[in-house]
Amino acid sequence: MAEQTTNFVDTLRVDNTGKTRKKLKHQLPLGTRIRRAWRLYVLLAPALVWVIIFCYWPMYGVQIAFRDFSPATGLTGGPWVGLKHFVRFVTSYQFELVLKNTVILHMYELLVAFPVPIILALVLNAVRQKRFSRAVQLVTYAPNFISVVVVVGIMVMLLDPQAGVVNNLMGIAGIPTVNFMGEPGWFRHLFVFSGVWQTAGFSAIIYLAALSSVPPELHEAARVDGATRLRRMWHIDLPAIMPIAVILLVLNIGNILSVGFEKVLLMQNPLNLDVSQVIGTYVYQVGLEASIPQYSYATAIGFFNSVVGVVLLLIVNQMARRIAKAGLF
């Protein structure tokens, strides 16, 4: 009994000493803490400078969304007009079209492209032949290194109505040729599935990294209990990657109005403009491509896009924390 009491007192003393050390460490002046860990701050400095210059400093120019900006008068020279450009965008005839196209395209991409890397990672993790698994992983990962411009160029060459391989094969089979890049009904399908081909392998690596941390004992115990491969994937592997999947889902929904601008612009043409005109391309057209660039109007649209994205990010993250007990923050 006396020995137990002595051990308990010693434990309390150690715990209290550790808490005291942590408290004293947090009470040290900021300059002292920086001097002690100066090497870490030196490593952090380039990234911090980059973020300040390219992410935070440009925010100073957002004020032109609330002014009638002119290059001759500078950022602060134009008269303050408040929410004039925001009201103009919301009440314009283009608002409903670009908002609908942006949301539909992103949701379609989310429904198709989000589950594919998860399924691919689960299947590759379950394959027993590791050489075959690595070969498939390499083949699916390689398209990620191809630029968007090259991907769209490949699509144009393959789907060309005159000399495209796809239409030539259709002609041999007696099927009428189709102008895939010009048909509005094909635009979203081509955009989404070409994106899946390009990014699925890279996205699967994130889930494969999470699956590598699953203890093998769980699979061995489940195998002893008679669980099939599919049951083990459902009850062991899938819950292991669920927190990462939730975080990526929150980030994707937060970017619901930020559909890939470069790819949409490259695939866009007068024939499919009714379904391909999204907020990003509309900002580019009114802000840079127009004969008289409307800088303030374009900035207001971009700022509206960012605010909606932040609000959606906060809402979805809160829902994910309540439902799935996981979130971005």
Side-chain angles (χ1 to χ4, degrees):
M1 184 67 181
E3 292 180 359
Q4 293 179 356
T5 304
T6 304
N7 293 335
F8 179 70
V9 172
D10 291 340
T11 303
L12 287 178
R13 188 177 297 133
V14 171
D15 292 342
N16 291 332
T17 304
K19 291 179 181 178
T20 304
R21 287 177 180 173
K22 289 181 180 179
K23 187 179 293 184
L24 290 174
K25 186 178 180 180
H26 288 296
Q27 288 177 352
L28 290 175
L30 179 62
T32 304
R33 282 183 282 166
I34 292 178
R35 282 195 302 272
R36 289 186 175 183
W38 65 271
R39 295 173 182 83
L40 297 178
Y41 287 98
V42 170
L43 292 174
L44 180 65
L48 188 61
V49 170
W50 185 91
V51 170
I52 292 174
I53 293 176
F54 294 101
C55 296
Y56 286 96
W57 178 249
M59 290 183 183
Y60 178 73
V62 173
Q63 61 178 297
I64 70 175
F66 305 92
R67 297 177 181 274
D68 276 335
F69 170 75
S70 173
T73 57
L75 290 177
T76 59
W80 189 269
V81 295
L83 300 177
K84 169 188 171 183
H85 301 295
F86 295 92
V87 175
R88 176 187 169 191
F89 173 59
V90 174
T91 57
S92 67
Y93 73 94
Q94 288 278 6
F95 175 74
E96 183 178 352
L97 175 66
V98 298
L99 185 63
K100 182 185 71 173
N101 289 340
T102 305
V103 173
I104 291 177
L105 189 60
H106 184 84
M107 294 305 296
Y108 184 19
E109 185 178 26
L110 187 64
L111 290 174
V112 174
F114 185 75
V116 170
I118 298 176
I119 298 172
L120 179 62
L122 292 173
V123 172
L124 289 177
N125 186 67
V127 173
R128 296 180 180 178
Q129 295 293 333
K130 294 304 177 184
R131 289 187 178 179
F132 176 76
S133 175
R134 294 191 188 99
V136 173
Q137 187 176 349
L138 178 62
V139 171
T140 56
Y141 178 71
N144 184 69
F145 295 99
I146 303 175
S147 69
V148 174
V149 178
V150 175
V151 171
V152 176
I154 293 173
M155 292 169 58
V156 170
M157 289 189 295
L158 292 177
L159 303 176
D160 185 84
Q162 304 293 331
V165 175
V166 175
N167 275 300
N168 286 337
L169 294 176
M170 291 172 60
I172 295 174
I175 303 173
T177 59
V178 178
N179 184 8
F180 292 99
M181 301 299 293
E183 287 286 341
W186 281 98
F187 173 81
R188 291 174 181 144
H189 304 304
L190 294 174
F191 180 90
V192 171
F193 286 97
S194 62
V196 171
W197 171 77
Q198 186 179 11
T199 62
F202 178 79
S203 301
I205 292 178
I206 302 174
Y207 299 109
L208 285 171
L211 289 171
S212 64
S213 63
V214 177
E217 294 80 7
L218 294 177
H219 284 280
E220 292 175 3
R223 193 181 296 111
V224 170
D225 291 337
T228 61
R229 174 75 66 176
L230 186 60
R231 301 285 289 184
R232 281 184 279 134
M233 290 170 59
W234 181 261
H235 293 286
I236 298 176
D237 293 337
L238 193 58
I241 63 176
M242 191 55 64
I244 296 177
V246 170
I247 292 174
L248 294 178
L249 180 63
V250 171
L251 290 173
N252 280 324
I253 295 180
N255 293 324
I256 191 170
L257 298 184
S258 301
V259 181
F261 160 74
E262 297 88 353
K263 191 174 180 180
V264 174
L265 185 65
L266 291 169
M267 294 179 62
Q268 194 176 81
N269 58 61
L271 297 176
N272 60 23
L273 196 61
D274 290 340
V275 296
S276 65
Q277 184 72 295
V278 296
I279 292 179
T281 56
Y282 183 62
V283 170
Y284 173 75
Q285 288 180 3
V286 300
L288 296 175
E289 212 174 32
S291 56
I292 303 178
Q294 305 174 59
Y295 299 110
S296 295
Y297 183 52
T299 305
I301 300 173
F303 188 68
F304 168 84
N305 190 8
S306 300
V307 170
V308 173
V310 171
V311 172
L312 287 174
L313 180 66
L314 294 174
I315 293 174
V316 175
N317 182 73
Q318 191 64 25
M319 292 174 60
R321 289 183 64 85
R322 289 186 178 182
I323 298 173
K325 307 300 180 184
L328 185 61
F329 49 83

